[in-house]
Amino acid sequence: MSWFYAFDLFGVAVFAITGALMAGRKSMDLFGVLVIAIVTALGGGTLRDVILGNHPVSWIGNDLYILVATLAALGTVCWVRLTRPINELGLLVADAFGLAVFTVIGTQVALAHQVPVSAAVIMGVMTGVAGGVMRDIICNEIPLIFHKEIYATACIVGSLSYLGLSQLPVQDDIAAGLCMAVVLAIRLAAIRWHLALPRFHLLDRGDRPQ
């Protein structure tokens, strides 16, 4: 098993855990937990593959993706019920690792289909964040990327970094590792210091100063 494949499965497991926890906060039954976990873990990659015409999509061609997501979700349920809630900070850090992995993988897959630079960046970001957006929408929440610390922006910077390094005489494994580190560093810094983009707040007419 290559490190690339291992990291991909790690990202699936991490995002499945975040999906299971969200389902738990919404008091869903076990089927709901599995659905939300799988959508979170595989939604971004599925959307990317459909848009790029990459068939069959990753989890259809390999049962291990569904298996890992399912086991991660069930393991989360058992852990929370039998021991104690998962540490929120630890989960955010793990989520940052998954985000970094999926961003680079999405960019690599897009480049393999010889798409323009802008499309490669979009595919990288989509792979990283789309599953979480689907999770939040299904659970009737404002998607995390729209109102919390820097998230999608880290993906954009990481994807652009990979595209830049791919034009230099740098081994692909090294370029991928460096770009994952970029995404991870930005995301962890945002969590640590609560960094966020400026917010747009539209005042009602009655709220405006006279």
Side-chain angles (χ1 to χ4, degrees):
M1 181 184 293
S2 68
W3 71 268
F4 178 90
Y5 184 46
F7 274 154
D8 194 16
L9 292 176
F10 172 76
V12 167
V14 168
F15 282 152
I17 290 171
T18 67
L21 290 176
M22 175 64 78
R25 294 189 183 106
K26 297 294 182 177
S27 300
M28 296 186 184
D29 62 16
L30 189 57
F31 178 74
V33 170
L34 291 177
V35 169
I36 299 300
I38 291 172
V39 166
T40 306
L42 304 176
T46 299
L47 186 59
R48 176 203 65 217
D49 288 346
V50 169
I51 292 175
L52 292 175
N54 187 31
H55 300 295
V57 298
S58 57
W59 58 271
I60 291 179
N62 187 345
D63 285 338
L64 194 54
Y65 286 97
I66 292 288
L67 179 61
V68 167
T70 300
L71 290 177
L74 294 176
T76 301
V77 172
C78 292
W79 177 268
V80 171
R81 285 196 169 187
L82 298 178
T83 57
R84 56 186 174 80
I86 293 177
N87 180 270
E88 193 74 20
L89 179 59
L91 182 62
L92 286 174
V93 172
D95 178 81
F97 273 101
L99 185 70
V101 171
F102 277 6
T103 297
V104 174
I105 288 175
T107 306
Q108 288 178 322
V109 171
L111 288 178
H113 283 75
Q114 300 180 333
V115 301
V117 169
S118 58
V121 173
I122 291 171
M123 292 300 108
V125 175
M126 180 184 298
T127 307
V129 308
V133 171
M134 294 178 192
R135 172 201 64 209
D136 293 343
I137 290 174
I138 294 172
C139 293
N140 198 30
E141 295 280 339
I142 298 175
L144 175 70
I145 65 170
F146 297 144
H147 69 102
K148 285 289 187 179
E149 299 93 352
I150 288 174
Y151 198 88
T153 306
C155 300
I156 295 173
V157 175
S159 183
L160 288 172
S161 300
Y162 181 81
L163 291 168
L165 289 174
S166 67
Q167 303 302 311
L168 300 176
V170 178
Q171 292 184 5
D172 189 65
D173 287 354
I174 295 176
L178 288 173
C179 296
M180 288 179 191
V182 168
V183 177
L184 183 61
I186 294 174
R187 179 64 185 136
L188 291 180
I191 294 170
R192 173 63 179 82
W193 290 292
H194 304 289
L195 304 177
L197 296 177
R199 295 192 179 192
F200 173 62
H201 177 61
L202 184 61
L203 296 175
D204 292 332
R205 184 171 299 179
D207 297 331
R208 296 175 183 170
Q210 300 299 320

